Amino acid sequence: MGLKQKDIAKALNISQEAFSIRLNPKTYEKNKRADPFKYGDLLVLFKFLDATDEEILRLLRL
């Protein structure tokens, strides 16, 4: 798909550095943040990635 962290970060209205931190599992081992993405973030990501309704429902049930 050719996406870069900075592209997705821009869609989420955060910096590339902040997005990189959210992708780092060590951040969550230290209980600094409960989940990397809030529900609203997921909706933005789904739209940005052109996810189908079926894909969204499947992913939200995980």
Side-chain angles (χ1 to χ4, degrees):
M1 194 174 227
L3 294 176
K4 296 184 179 185
Q5 284 187 7
K6 71 176 188 174
D7 299 327
I8 299 171
K10 184 176 180 181
L12 292 171
N13 201 29
I14 60 174
S15 68
Q16 180 276 325
E17 293 81 6
F19 184 72
S20 180
I21 290 169
R22 289 186 186 195
L23 295 179
N24 183 349
K26 291 182 181 182
T27 301
Y28 307 98
E29 291 172 4
K30 299 175 187 172
N31 294 321
K32 289 183 179 178
R33 187 176 172 116
D35 293 311
F37 301 100
K38 297 177 184 174
Y39 182 73
D41 296 333
L42 294 176
L43 296 178
V44 170
L45 289 172
F46 293 149
K47 184 174 182 174
F48 184 78
L49 297 171
D50 294 324
T52 65
D53 289 344
E54 183 178 294
E55 291 168 328
I56 293 169
L57 288 173
R58 183 175 49 85
L59 291 168
L60 289 177
R61 284 188 265 166
L62 294 176

